[in-house]
Amino acid sequence: MNNKQKLIAGVIAVAVIAGGGYWLFGGAKKKNLITFSTTQVKKSDISTSITATGNIEPVTEVEVGTQVSGIIDKIYVDYNSVVKEGQLIAEMDKVPLQNELESAKGTYDGAKAEFEYQERNYKRNQQLHEKGLISDTEYEENLYNYQRAKSSLESSRAAYNNAQRNLSYAIITSPINGVVTSRDVEEGQTVASGFETPTLFTIAADLTKMQVVVDVDEADIGGVKEGQRVTFTVDAYPEDTFEGRVTQVRLGSSKSSSTSSTSTSSETVVTYEVVISADNPDLKLKPRLTANVNIYTLDKKGVLCVPSKALRFIPEQPMLGSDDVVEDCEGEHKVWTYENHVFKAHPVTIGLSDGINTEILGGVEEGLTIVSEAETNMSANVEESSSQSERSPFMPGPPDRDKNKKNDKK
């Protein structure tokens, strides 16, 4: 191959490479497609909430104990027993208490007899002393004996009454109507009453009315008020959502320290207890269940609202078409309508927002269709109308195309 042939072959190779590159990288163009999402101004619910965790407890729960030491003789109730106020639920061994009562009774009777004797003797000697028939010393001695007998009588009377009361404590009754949720003793067990009354039973009142006690962080407690709506779930019934109301925000706070697992630094977390009432007609809510709570600090039903993203929409390049017209207006907040290639702004007054929807207080009517957002989609490898300009003249065409060219020549 001579130099001239080599030159021609090189020119053809460069042309082929250039044509192929044009076809690969420049021939298939992409188009930007702008689509607008619209929605209607309509009524909806707007709410904001804070989350907290707590435990379900009975509204009224009483620990039943005993003020005397002794042996549990009989038990008449068990877990889940339904009891009435004043119902006998247990008895203690009465023999030691009866012996104490009889001893106190004997001491009291003796003190009473001594007092009555000294009283008669004192009154008789008082009259004699007034007539000067006995000395002052003898009179004072009679007065002393009388006062001492009186004091002994009062002391023995108190001991006797205390023994009677202790004997009555041996009969343990329910203080309220309710259900036994805990039984901490067995028959034959000895209980010792000291500085702290031992608990024998725990009785909860009407379990169809429960309460949830949750710890709310100090950053959120400012928005919590009595009467606010509450929803909560429990792990025992993951598909059920229970409702309640805030009934009390307790002023006492508690502090807990948390330490980072990756460092030695720690911080103090301050929380406040919030009490929530909840109906429990099906008795699904059991004492001590863990509740995951949402407290609605702002809650409005059926208010006029729009998606919050519609208030952030602004018609501007490059989303505008060549025929689109923008009619703006004054106002801090506005929504846009789009009709016949015209973007028109409508000033609005807003209220509450939950981040997704925003309340509209004025400016537009219900049912108005507005633009909520614009989306840009890239269409891949969209061919132009002239396929001839996209294909390299040096690349072979489809078989049918070459056949058609031959037919045209004929």
Side-chain angles (χ1 to χ4, degrees), residues 25-235:
F25 302 106
K29 295 184 178 179
K30 296 180 179 180
K31 296 181 180 179
N32 293 339
L33 300 180
I34 306 297
T35 59
F36 299 101
S37 299
T38 60
T39 186
Q40 287 188 337
V41 180
K42 59 184 179 180
K43 291 183 178 180
S44 184
D45 299 338
I46 293 182
S47 60
T48 59
S49 64
I50 61 174
T51 59
T53 303
N55 296 104
I56 296 174
E57 300 177 0
V59 175
T60 303
E61 194 171 37
V62 179
E63 293 182 347
V64 181
T66 176
Q67 290 184 301
V68 294
S69 301
I71 299 174
I72 301 297
D73 191 21
K74 293 181 181 179
I75 295 177
Y76 299 103
V77 295
D78 201 351
Y79 288 94
N80 302 335
S81 296
V82 179
V83 295
K84 300 292 185 181
E85 182 179 354
Q87 178 181 334
L88 178 64
I89 57 178
E91 283 185 286
M92 300 185 66
D93 185 9
K94 298 180 181 178
V95 174
L97 299 174
Q98 288 175 336
N99 291 339
E100 292 179 5
L101 177 62
E102 291 176 0
S103 176
K105 179 68 166 52
T107 302
Y108 170 72
D109 291 342
K112 183 179 180 181
E114 175 67 16
F115 169 74
E116 291 174 350
Y117 167 74
Q118 292 294 343
E119 184 180 30
R120 290 192 300 269
N121 191 34
Y122 165 71
K123 290 180 178 180
R124 181 171 55 252
N125 291 332
Q126 184 181 29
Q127 294 176 357
L128 295 176
H129 180 261
E130 291 174 353
K131 296 178 180 180
L133 300 177
I134 60 175
S135 64
D136 293 340
T137 302
E138 187 175 359
Y139 171 73
E140 291 175 357
E141 182 178 357
N142 289 331
L143 177 61
Y144 167 76
N145 291 334
Y146 166 72
Q147 291 176 339
R148 186 174 182 179
K150 183 178 180 181
S151 176
S152 178
L153 175 63
E154 292 174 351
S155 177
S156 62
R157 180 186 292 114
Y160 177 56
N161 293 336
N162 188 55
Q164 284 182 315
R165 186 171 59 254
N166 288 342
L167 181 60
S168 67
Y169 289 152
I171 300 175
I172 302 169
T173 59
S174 173
I176 60 172
N177 298 331
V179 178
V180 178
T181 59
S182 175
R183 193 194 74 184
D184 301 324
V185 292
E186 300 290 342
E187 290 186 358
Q189 181 176 338
T190 301
V191 292
S193 176
F195 294 102
E196 184 177 354
T197 301
T199 300
L200 308 182
F201 305 93
T202 302
I203 300 177
D206 186 10
L207 292 182
T208 60
K209 303 289 184 181
M210 303 292 280
Q211 65 181 13
V212 187
V213 181
V214 299
D215 293 326
V216 177
D217 190 85
E218 61 177 326
D220 299 324
I221 195 63
V224 181
K225 296 179 177 59
E226 293 184 8
Q228 290 174 338
R229 184 171 69 93
V230 176
T231 61
F232 62 93
T233 60
V234 294
D235 292 339

Side-chain angles (χ1 to χ4, degrees), residues 173-377:
T173 59
S174 173
I176 60 172
N177 298 331
V179 178
V180 178
T181 59
S182 175
R183 193 194 74 184
D184 301 324
V185 292
E186 300 290 342
E187 290 186 358
Q189 181 176 338
T190 301
V191 292
S193 176
F195 294 102
E196 184 177 354
T197 301
T199 300
L200 308 182
F201 305 93
T202 302
I203 300 177
D206 186 10
L207 292 182
T208 60
K209 303 289 184 181
M210 303 292 280
Q211 65 181 13
V212 187
V213 181
V214 299
D215 293 326
V216 177
D217 190 85
E218 61 177 326
D220 299 324
I221 195 63
V224 181
K225 296 179 177 59
E226 293 184 8
Q228 290 174 338
R229 184 171 69 93
V230 176
T231 61
F232 62 93
T233 60
V234 294
D235 292 339
Y237 306 99
E239 302 298 326
D240 295 339
T241 300
F242 303 90
E243 294 194 0
R245 292 282 175 181
V246 175
T247 57
Q248 186 182 52
V249 180
R250 293 176 177 171
L251 299 179
S253 62
S254 60
K255 294 183 179 180
S256 60
S257 298
S258 60
T259 304
S260 174
S261 59
T262 58
S263 64
T264 58
S265 62
S266 62
E267 58 182 15
T268 301
V269 179
V270 179
T271 58
Y272 292 82
E273 284 189 343
V274 176
V275 182
I276 300 161
S277 64
D279 291 332
N280 187 31
D282 300 329
L283 300 181
K284 287 185 175 181
L285 300 176
K286 296 174 175 56
R288 260 62 72 182
L289 283 178
T290 300
N292 302 308
V293 177
N294 289 316
I295 302 175
Y296 293 90
T297 54
L298 295 174
D299 192 17
K300 284 193 173 184
K301 300 290 187 180
V303 296
L304 201 64
C305 61
V306 298
S308 298
K309 58 187 177 182
L311 295 168
R312 298 189 293 268
F313 172 79
I314 300 176
E316 56 187 2
Q317 295 294 347
M319 70 179 64
L320 297 178
S322 58
D323 298 332
D324 289 338
V325 178
V326 177
E327 296 182 1
D328 204 349
C329 67
E330 297 294 331
E332 182 180 0
H333 305 286
K334 61 188 73 173
V335 294
W336 296 82
T337 56
Y338 182 64
E339 186 176 1
N340 297 327
H341 296 284
V342 177
F343 286 98
K344 184 176 181 180
H346 302 265
V348 294
T349 305
I350 65 173
L352 300 177
S353 177
D354 59 5
I356 299 176
N357 294 318
T358 300
E359 180 186 10
I360 300 298
L361 301 177
V364 292
E365 299 294 332
E366 182 179 3
L368 178 66
T369 300
I370 62 173
V371 180
S372 58
E373 62 180 338
E375 297 180 354
T376 303
N377 297 323

